[in-house]
Amino acid sequence: GAVVSQHPSRVICKSGTSVKIECRSLDFQATTMFWYRQFPKKSLMLMATSNEGSKATYEQGVEKDKFLINHASLTLSTLTVTSAHPEDSSFYICSAQTGTGDTDTQYFGPGTRLTVL
Amino acid sequence: QKEVEQDPGPLSVPEGAIVSLNCTYSNSAFQYFMWYRQYSRKGPELLMYTYSSGNKEDGRFTAQVDKSSKYISLFIRDSQPSDSATYLCAMSLTGGGNKLTFGTGTQLKVEL
């Protein structure tokens, strides 16, 4: 089956530093990748949609200068949390799909837990 | 009002019970409906996918969609301790580029 990996699985950083999270599709080419964040006992909230080779599309209320997304290849997307603060502490999950259509299955990564001290 | 409402639970049932999980939604334009299972500290895993109204069965799992009531359900028969997880409903629009709107998830515990 389709596998999506994320690295790192857990990261702890000091306030003000930047953190990069990688999302890879291991056995398929992902035209589209999505980035979500999930707070404890809360729903997954879509942050942005990225298509390979294009700029990411951010959801309302998500600061694009703070959450930098790069989708440079069909198997890799990165999310960089710049100048992280404690309120950015969350569970970040990516998903990937092969196409851009409405019915393409999204395959989710295992998530990255970010803790900002 | 949230777009998708889901009782967070927790829901505790004995092994072998039939579990009923459900979501309501407000946007009548949603056409695609999914159920995901999420184990603690893991990413969601797709369980069931339904287009528009109707029922779909896969093994012990049955998904139902009632668009007239804006109500979807997931039934789990002969529940097992390994079914203990958080179940998230999700839905999307036609032409929406597969952007998913999730419910908050229902935490299920199946006890021996």
Side-chain angles (χ1 to χ4, degrees), chain B residues 58-86:
Chain B
D58 184 0
R60 296 185 295 113
F61 299 91
T62 300
Q64 288 185 350
V65 175
D66 181 350
K67 289 195 69 183
S68 62
S69 302
K70 300 194 189 73
Y71 186 89
I72 69 171
S73 301
L74 177 71
F75 297 95
I76 307 173
R77 291 182 296 281
D78 188 24
S79 56
Q80 304 294 312
S82 58
D83 295 327
S84 299
T86 296

Side-chain angles (χ1 to χ4, degrees), chain A residues 10 34 36 38 41-44 46 49 59 91 93 97 100-106 108-111 113, chain B residues 2 32 36 38 41-46 49 88 92-100 102-105 107:
Chain A
R10 178 176 292 186
F34 301 87
Y36 297 84
Q38 185 178 33
K41 298 186 180 179
K42 298 289 185 182
S43 179
L44 275 80
L46 180 65
T49 303
E59 295 300 299
F91 194 51
I93 304 177
Q97 62 184 43
T100 58
D102 296 335
T103 59
D104 293 318
T105 299
Q106 284 188 41
F108 283 81
R113 184 160 302 281
Chain B
K2 291 180 185 176
Y32 303 96
Y36 284 85
Q38 186 177 22
R41 299 190 179 92
K42 300 290 184 183
E45 170 194 9
L46 181 65
Y49 181 103
L88 299 136
S92 62
L93 307 168
T94 300
N98 211 16
K99 287 169 55 174
L100 300 180
F102 280 88
T104 53
Q107 185 180 353

Side-chain angles (χ1 to χ4, degrees), chain A residues 53-70:
Chain A
S54 302
K55 286 185 178 180
T57 302
Y58 291 81
E59 295 300 299
Q60 192 173 9
V62 178
E63 300 175 59
K64 62 180 181 181
D65 294 331
K66 180 168 185 62
F67 299 99
L68 302 178
I69 292 172
N70 185 292

